[in-house]
PDB file of all heavy atoms in Angstrom:
ATOM      1  N   ASN A 398      22.111   7.615  32.440  1.00  0.00           N
ATOM      2  CA  ASN A 398      20.781   8.253  32.659  1.00  0.00           C
ATOM      3  C   ASN A 398      20.916   9.770  32.627  1.00  0.00           C
ATOM      4  O   ASN A 398      21.881  10.316  33.130  1.00  0.00           O
ATOM      5  CB  ASN A 398      20.191   7.806  33.995  1.00  0.00           C
ATOM      6  CG  ASN A 398      19.603   6.372  33.921  1.00  0.00           C
ATOM      7  OD1 ASN A 398      18.698   6.062  34.656  1.00  0.00           O
ATOM      8  ND2 ASN A 398      20.148   5.523  33.102  1.00  0.00           N
ATOM      9  N   LEU A 399      19.886  10.441  32.084  1.00  0.00           N
ATOM     10  CA  LEU A 399      19.888  11.879  31.990  1.00  0.00           C
ATOM     11  C   LEU A 399      18.748  12.480  32.864  1.00  0.00           C
ATOM     12  O   LEU A 399      17.611  12.529  32.459  1.00  0.00           O
ATOM     13  CB  LEU A 399      19.697  12.322  30.511  1.00  0.00           C
ATOM     14  CG  LEU A 399      20.694  11.789  29.528  1.00  0.00           C
ATOM     15  CD1 LEU A 399      20.319  12.108  28.082  1.00  0.00           C
ATOM     16  CD2 LEU A 399      22.094  12.351  29.870  1.00  0.00           C
ATOM     17  N   LEU A 400      19.142  12.818  34.084  1.00  0.00           N
ATOM     18  CA  LEU A 400      18.178  13.370  35.065  1.00  0.00           C
ATOM     19  C   LEU A 400      17.707  14.721  34.683  1.00  0.00           C
ATOM     20  O   LEU A 400      18.509  15.593  34.218  1.00  0.00           O
ATOM     21  CB  LEU A 400      18.786  13.327  36.424  1.00  0.00           C
ATOM     22  CG  LEU A 400      19.141  11.933  37.032  1.00  0.00           C
ATOM     23  CD1 LEU A 400      19.827  12.143  38.352  1.00  0.00           C
ATOM     24  CD2 LEU A 400      17.866  11.115  37.206  1.00  0.00           C
ATOM     25  N   ALA A 401      16.428  15.006  34.957  1.00  0.00           N
ATOM     26  CA  ALA A 401      15.927  16.376  34.819  1.00  0.00           C
ATOM     27  C   ALA A 401      16.476  17.218  35.929  1.00  0.00           C
ATOM     28  O   ALA A 401      16.955  16.739  36.940  1.00  0.00           O
ATOM     29  CB  ALA A 401      14.372  16.360  34.814  1.00  0.00           C
ATOM     30  N   ALA A 402      16.433  18.520  35.694  1.00  0.00           N
ATOM     31  CA  ALA A 402      16.953  19.484  36.685  1.00  0.00           C
ATOM     32  C   ALA A 402      16.185  19.299  38.017  1.00  0.00           C
ATOM     33  O   ALA A 402      14.986  19.084  38.041  1.00  0.00           O
ATOM     34  CB  ALA A 402      16.840  20.913  36.187  1.00  0.00           C
ATOM     35  N   ASN A 403      16.965  19.403  39.132  1.00  0.00           N
ATOM     36  CA  ASN A 403      16.414  19.313  40.467  1.00  0.00           C
ATOM     37  C   ASN A 403      15.879  17.930  40.851  1.00  0.00           C
ATOM     38  O   ASN A 403      15.160  17.794  41.858  1.00  0.00           O
ATOM     39  CB  ASN A 403      15.275  20.386  40.649  1.00  0.00           C
ATOM     40  CG  ASN A 403      15.770  21.779  40.388  1.00  0.00           C
ATOM     41  OD1 ASN A 403      16.881  22.157  40.732  1.00  0.00           O
ATOM     42  ND2 ASN A 403      14.939  22.580  39.724  1.00  0.00           N
ATOM     43  N   VAL A 404      16.128  16.926  40.053  1.00  0.00           N
ATOM     44  CA  VAL A 404      15.774  15.567  40.433  1.00  0.00           C
ATOM     45  C   VAL A 404      16.936  14.912  41.155  1.00  0.00           C
ATOM     46  O   VAL A 404      18.052  14.800  40.606  1.00  0.00           O
ATOM     47  CB  VAL A 404      15.373  14.744  39.195  1.00  0.00           C
ATOM     48  CG1 VAL A 404      15.111  13.258  39.612  1.00  0.00           C
ATOM     49  CG2 VAL A 404      14.146  15.322  38.555  1.00  0.00           C
ATOM     50  N   ALA A 405      16.746  14.458  42.381  1.00  0.00           N
ATOM     51  CA  ALA A 405      17.818  13.880  43.165  1.00  0.00           C
ATOM     52  C   ALA A 405      17.344  12.575  43.788  1.00  0.00           C
ATOM     53  O   ALA A 405      16.127  12.259  43.817  1.00  0.00           O
ATOM     54  CB  ALA A 405      18.243  14.814  44.235  1.00  0.00           C
ATOM     55  N   GLY A 406      18.300  11.768  44.304  1.00  0.00           N
ATOM     56  CA  GLY A 406      17.965  10.519  44.876  1.00  0.00           C
ATOM     57  C   GLY A 406      17.256  10.633  46.199  1.00  0.00           C
ATOM     58  O   GLY A 406      16.995  11.772  46.633  1.00  0.00           O
ATOM     59  N   PRO A 407      16.858   9.558  46.785  1.00  0.00           N
ATOM     60  CA  PRO A 407      17.231   8.162  46.431  1.00  0.00           C
ATOM     61  C   PRO A 407      16.448   7.677  45.236  1.00  0.00           C
ATOM     62  O   PRO A 407      15.342   8.099  44.974  1.00  0.00           O
ATOM     63  CB  PRO A 407      16.965   7.377  47.712  1.00  0.00           C
ATOM     64  CG  PRO A 407      15.802   8.115  48.328  1.00  0.00           C
ATOM     65  CD  PRO A 407      16.071   9.563  48.045  1.00  0.00           C
ATOM     66  N   PHE A 408      17.084   6.686  44.536  1.00  0.00           N
ATOM     67  CA  PHE A 408      16.481   6.055  43.347  1.00  0.00           C
ATOM     68  C   PHE A 408      16.354   4.579  43.564  1.00  0.00           C
ATOM     69  O   PHE A 408      16.978   3.967  44.473  1.00  0.00           O
ATOM     70  CB  PHE A 408      17.370   6.318  42.114  1.00  0.00           C
ATOM     71  CG  PHE A 408      17.592   7.728  41.789  1.00  0.00           C
ATOM     72  CD1 PHE A 408      18.812   8.343  42.114  1.00  0.00           C
ATOM     73  CD2 PHE A 408      16.629   8.483  41.115  1.00  0.00           C
ATOM     74  CE1 PHE A 408      19.071   9.671  41.822  1.00  0.00           C
ATOM     75  CE2 PHE A 408      16.867   9.827  40.804  1.00  0.00           C
ATOM     76  CZ  PHE A 408      18.052  10.424  41.156  1.00  0.00           C
ATOM     77  N   GLN A 409      15.545   3.930  42.709  1.00  0.00           N
ATOM     78  CA  GLN A 409      15.505   2.476  42.589  1.00  0.00           C
ATOM     79  C   GLN A 409      15.789   2.165  41.142  1.00  0.00           C
ATOM     80  O   GLN A 409      15.229   2.832  40.241  1.00  0.00           O
ATOM     81  CB  GLN A 409      14.141   1.937  43.016  1.00  0.00           C
ATOM     82  CG  GLN A 409      13.940   2.055  44.540  1.00  0.00           C
ATOM     83  CD  GLN A 409      12.531   1.640  44.938  1.00  0.00           C
ATOM     84  OE1 GLN A 409      11.534   2.026  44.353  1.00  0.00           O
ATOM     85  NE2 GLN A 409      12.421   0.824  45.988  1.00  0.00           N
ATOM     86  N   ARG A 410      16.608   1.155  40.929  1.00  0.00           N
ATOM     87  CA  ARG A 410      17.032   0.808  39.561  1.00  0.00           C
ATOM     88  C   ARG A 410      16.234  -0.343  38.974  1.00  0.00           C
ATOM     89  O   ARG A 410      15.964  -1.319  39.729  1.00  0.00           O
ATOM     90  CB  ARG A 410      18.533   0.511  39.546  1.00  0.00           C
ATOM     91  CG  ARG A 410      19.122   0.333  38.145  1.00  0.00           C
ATOM     92  CD  ARG A 410      20.547   0.006  38.117  1.00  0.00           C
ATOM     93  NE  ARG A 410      21.429   0.941  38.802  1.00  0.00           N
ATOM     94  CZ  ARG A 410      22.720   1.038  38.673  1.00  0.00           C
ATOM     95  NH1 ARG A 410      23.354   0.165  37.868  1.00  0.00           N
ATOM     96  NH2 ARG A 410      23.393   1.895  39.381  1.00  0.00           N
ATOM     97  N   TYR A 411      15.929  -0.218  37.669  1.00  0.00           N
ATOM     98  CA  TYR A 411      15.125  -1.271  37.012  1.00  0.00           C
ATOM     99  C   TYR A 411      15.852  -1.670  35.746  1.00  0.00           C
ATOM    100  O   TYR A 411      16.473  -0.852  35.055  1.00  0.00           O
ATOM    101  CB  TYR A 411      13.743  -0.778  36.666  1.00  0.00           C
ATOM    102  CG  TYR A 411      12.898  -0.482  37.874  1.00  0.00           C
ATOM    103  CD1 TYR A 411      12.973   0.791  38.500  1.00  0.00           C
ATOM    104  CD2 TYR A 411      12.091  -1.443  38.446  1.00  0.00           C
ATOM    105  CE1 TYR A 411      12.225   1.038  39.684  1.00  0.00           C
ATOM    106  CE2 TYR A 411      11.324  -1.182  39.553  1.00  0.00           C
ATOM    107  CZ  TYR A 411      11.382   0.057  40.173  1.00  0.00           C
ATOM    108  OH  TYR A 411      10.655   0.334  41.308  1.00  0.00           O
ATOM    109  N   THR A 412      15.791  -2.979  35.442  1.00  0.00           N
ATOM    110  CA  THR A 412      16.356  -3.506  34.195  1.00  0.00           C
ATOM    111  C   THR A 412      15.247  -3.555  33.171  1.00  0.00           C
ATOM    112  O   THR A 412      14.066  -3.906  33.489  1.00  0.00           O
ATOM    113  CB  THR A 412      16.995  -4.878  34.349  1.00  0.00           C
ATOM    114  OG1 THR A 412      15.989  -5.809  34.832  1.00  0.00           O
ATOM    115  CG2 THR A 412      18.103  -4.840  35.383  1.00  0.00           C
ATOM    116  N   ILE A 413      15.542  -3.272  31.942  1.00  0.00           N
ATOM    117  CA  ILE A 413      14.596  -3.374  30.797  1.00  0.00           C
ATOM    118  C   ILE A 413      15.217  -4.206  29.743  1.00  0.00           C
ATOM    119  O   ILE A 413      16.174  -3.790  29.047  1.00  0.00           O
ATOM    120  CB  ILE A 413      14.232  -1.983  30.286  1.00  0.00           C
ATOM    121  CG1 ILE A 413      13.669  -1.081  31.430  1.00  0.00           C
ATOM    122  CG2 ILE A 413      13.234  -2.046  29.152  1.00  0.00           C
ATOM    123  CD1 ILE A 413      13.562   0.365  31.064  1.00  0.00           C
ATOM    124  N   ASP A 414      14.681  -5.407  29.541  1.00  0.00           N
ATOM    125  CA  ASP A 414      15.117  -6.282  28.452  1.00  0.00           C
ATOM    126  C   ASP A 414      14.051  -6.355  27.396  1.00  0.00           C
ATOM    127  O   ASP A 414      12.927  -6.793  27.652  1.00  0.00           O
ATOM    128  CB  ASP A 414      15.409  -7.704  28.989  1.00  0.00           C
ATOM    129  CG  ASP A 414      16.604  -7.677  29.927  1.00  0.00           C
ATOM    130  OD1 ASP A 414      17.722  -7.567  29.448  1.00  0.00           O
ATOM    131  OD2 ASP A 414      16.415  -7.803  31.190  1.00  0.00           O
ATOM    132  N   THR A 415      14.366  -5.900  26.198  1.00  0.00           N
ATOM    133  CA  THR A 415      13.359  -5.772  25.137  1.00  0.00           C
ATOM    134  C   THR A 415      13.726  -6.584  23.931  1.00  0.00           C
ATOM    135  O   THR A 415      14.897  -6.714  23.566  1.00  0.00           O
ATOM    136  CB  THR A 415      13.241  -4.265  24.742  1.00  0.00           C
ATOM    137  OG1 THR A 415      12.802  -3.536  25.890  1.00  0.00           O
ATOM    138  CG2 THR A 415      12.229  -4.084  23.609  1.00  0.00           C
ATOM    139  N   ILE A 416      12.745  -7.184  23.285  1.00  0.00           N
ATOM    140  CA  ILE A 416      12.926  -7.889  22.012  1.00  0.00           C
ATOM    141  C   ILE A 416      12.002  -7.246  21.009  1.00  0.00           C
ATOM    142  O   ILE A 416      10.816  -7.019  21.234  1.00  0.00           O
ATOM    143  CB  ILE A 416      12.562  -9.355  22.165  1.00  0.00           C
ATOM    144  CG1 ILE A 416      13.559 -10.030  23.147  1.00  0.00           C
ATOM    145  CG2 ILE A 416      12.566 -10.077  20.828  1.00  0.00           C
ATOM    146  CD1 ILE A 416      13.412 -11.476  23.325  1.00  0.00           C
ATOM    147  N   VAL A 417      12.596  -6.907  19.859  1.00  0.00           N
ATOM    148  CA  VAL A 417      11.924  -6.256  18.768  1.00  0.00           C
ATOM    149  C   VAL A 417      11.714  -7.343  17.633  1.00  0.00           C
ATOM    150  O   VAL A 417      12.660  -8.072  17.337  1.00  0.00           O
ATOM    151  CB  VAL A 417      12.703  -5.066  18.189  1.00  0.00           C
ATOM    152  CG1 VAL A 417      11.966  -4.477  16.973  1.00  0.00           C
ATOM    153  CG2 VAL A 417      12.794  -4.011  19.294  1.00  0.00           C
ATOM    154  N   ASN A 418      10.544  -7.378  17.055  1.00  0.00           N
ATOM    155  CA  ASN A 418      10.317  -8.288  15.940  1.00  0.00           C
ATOM    156  C   ASN A 418      11.038  -7.783  14.715  1.00  0.00           C
ATOM    157  O   ASN A 418      10.770  -6.630  14.255  1.00  0.00           O
ATOM    158  CB  ASN A 418       8.815  -8.376  15.641  1.00  0.00           C
ATOM    159  CG  ASN A 418       8.506  -9.538  14.661  1.00  0.00           C
ATOM    160  OD1 ASN A 418       9.371 -10.000  13.950  1.00  0.00           O
ATOM    161  ND2 ASN A 418       7.189  -9.907  14.664  1.00  0.00           N
ATOM    162  N   PRO A 419      12.032  -8.492  14.140  1.00  0.00           N
ATOM    163  CA  PRO A 419      12.802  -8.010  13.032  1.00  0.00           C
ATOM    164  C   PRO A 419      11.940  -7.704  11.784  1.00  0.00           C
ATOM    165  O   PRO A 419      12.336  -6.910  10.913  1.00  0.00           O
ATOM    166  CB  PRO A 419      13.815  -9.129  12.737  1.00  0.00           C
ATOM    167  CG  PRO A 419      13.902  -9.895  14.011  1.00  0.00           C
ATOM    168  CD  PRO A 419      12.512  -9.773  14.642  1.00  0.00           C
ATOM    169  N   THR A 420      10.786  -8.362  11.641  1.00  0.00           N
ATOM    170  CA  THR A 420       9.939  -8.125  10.483  1.00  0.00           C
ATOM    171  C   THR A 420       9.456  -6.682  10.384  1.00  0.00           C
ATOM    172  O   THR A 420       8.989  -6.231   9.336  1.00  0.00           O
ATOM    173  CB  THR A 420       8.759  -9.030  10.470  1.00  0.00           C
ATOM    174  OG1 THR A 420       7.947  -8.806  11.592  1.00  0.00           O
ATOM    175  CG2 THR A 420       9.183 -10.485  10.455  1.00  0.00           C
ATOM    176  N   ASP A 421       9.544  -5.955  11.517  1.00  0.00           N
ATOM    177  CA  ASP A 421       9.041  -4.557  11.521  1.00  0.00           C
ATOM    178  C   ASP A 421      10.102  -3.532  11.274  1.00  0.00           C
ATOM    179  O   ASP A 421       9.844  -2.326  11.271  1.00  0.00           O
ATOM    180  CB  ASP A 421       8.371  -4.277  12.882  1.00  0.00           C
ATOM    181  CG  ASP A 421       7.127  -5.105  13.114  1.00  0.00           C
ATOM    182  OD1 ASP A 421       6.447  -5.440  12.110  1.00  0.00           O
ATOM    183  OD2 ASP A 421       6.834  -5.423  14.265  1.00  0.00           O
ATOM    184  N   LEU A 422      11.353  -3.988  11.133  1.00  0.00           N
ATOM    185  CA  LEU A 422      12.485  -3.080  10.856  1.00  0.00           C
ATOM    186  C   LEU A 422      12.957  -3.183   9.402  1.00  0.00           C
ATOM    187  O   LEU A 422      12.692  -4.193   8.740  1.00  0.00           O
ATOM    188  CB  LEU A 422      13.709  -3.408  11.763  1.00  0.00           C
ATOM    189  CG  LEU A 422      13.457  -3.309  13.244  1.00  0.00           C
ATOM    190  CD1 LEU A 422      14.731  -3.732  13.994  1.00  0.00           C
ATOM    191  CD2 LEU A 422      13.059  -1.875  13.675  1.00  0.00           C
ATOM    192  N   ALA A 423      13.517  -2.123   8.899  1.00  0.00           N
ATOM    193  CA  ALA A 423      13.992  -2.071   7.498  1.00  0.00           C
ATOM    194  C   ALA A 423      15.470  -2.385   7.414  1.00  0.00           C
ATOM    195  O   ALA A 423      16.258  -1.615   7.945  1.00  0.00           O
ATOM    196  CB  ALA A 423      13.671  -0.723   6.844  1.00  0.00           C
ATOM    197  N   PHE A 424      15.827  -3.529   6.867  1.00  0.00           N
ATOM    198  CA  PHE A 424      17.223  -3.836   6.670  1.00  0.00           C
ATOM    199  C   PHE A 424      17.626  -3.482   5.266  1.00  0.00           C
ATOM    200  O   PHE A 424      16.901  -3.724   4.298  1.00  0.00           O
ATOM    201  CB  PHE A 424      17.477  -5.344   6.920  1.00  0.00           C
ATOM    202  CG  PHE A 424      17.467  -5.764   8.345  1.00  0.00           C
ATOM    203  CD1 PHE A 424      16.298  -5.951   9.059  1.00  0.00           C
ATOM    204  CD2 PHE A 424      18.662  -5.879   9.016  1.00  0.00           C
ATOM    205  CE1 PHE A 424      16.314  -6.306  10.415  1.00  0.00           C
ATOM    206  CE2 PHE A 424      18.687  -6.225  10.398  1.00  0.00           C
ATOM    207  CZ  PHE A 424      17.487  -6.436  11.055  1.00  0.00           C
ATOM    208  N   GLU A 425      18.835  -2.954   5.112  1.00  0.00           N
ATOM    209  CA  GLU A 425      19.336  -2.581   3.804  1.00  0.00           C
ATOM    210  C   GLU A 425      20.682  -3.229   3.556  1.00  0.00           C
ATOM    211  O   GLU A 425      21.451  -3.532   4.448  1.00  0.00           O
ATOM    212  CB  GLU A 425      19.525  -1.032   3.806  1.00  0.00           C
ATOM    213  CG  GLU A 425      18.233  -0.263   4.027  1.00  0.00           C
ATOM    214  CD  GLU A 425      18.473   1.236   4.125  1.00  0.00           C
ATOM    215  OE1 GLU A 425      19.591   1.622   4.603  1.00  0.00           O
ATOM    216  OE2 GLU A 425      17.636   1.998   3.692  1.00  0.00           O
ATOM    217  N   HIS A 426      20.915  -3.512   2.275  1.00  0.00           N
ATOM    218  CA  HIS A 426      22.171  -4.158   1.862  1.00  0.00           C
ATOM    219  C   HIS A 426      23.342  -3.136   1.979  1.00  0.00           C
ATOM    220  O   HIS A 426      23.222  -2.001   1.571  1.00  0.00           O
ATOM    221  CB  HIS A 426      22.091  -4.645   0.398  1.00  0.00           C
ATOM    222  CG  HIS A 426      21.229  -5.864   0.259  1.00  0.00           C
ATOM    223  ND1 HIS A 426      21.706  -7.102   0.633  1.00  0.00           N
ATOM    224  CD2 HIS A 426      19.986  -6.047  -0.210  1.00  0.00           C
ATOM    225  CE1 HIS A 426      20.713  -8.023   0.389  1.00  0.00           C
ATOM    226  NE2 HIS A 426      19.684  -7.351  -0.162  1.00  0.00           N
TER     227      HIS A 426
END
């Protein structure tokens, strides 16, 4: 994580699980 200047704890942590539809990405050989 890249905190902005002067940002300090305490923090709470969150998980982010993402699925991208492959039809929207460009695959190349």
Side-chain angles (χ1 to χ4, degrees):
N398 283 211
L399 302 173
L400 296 174
N403 302 321
V404 175
F408 301 101
Q409 290 174 313
R410 187 182 302 196
Y411 295 85
T412 61
I413 302 168
D414 292 287
T415 299
I416 296 182
V417 176
N418 192 341
T420 61
D421 295 330
L422 300 177
F424 284 82
E425 299 174 328
H426 285 285

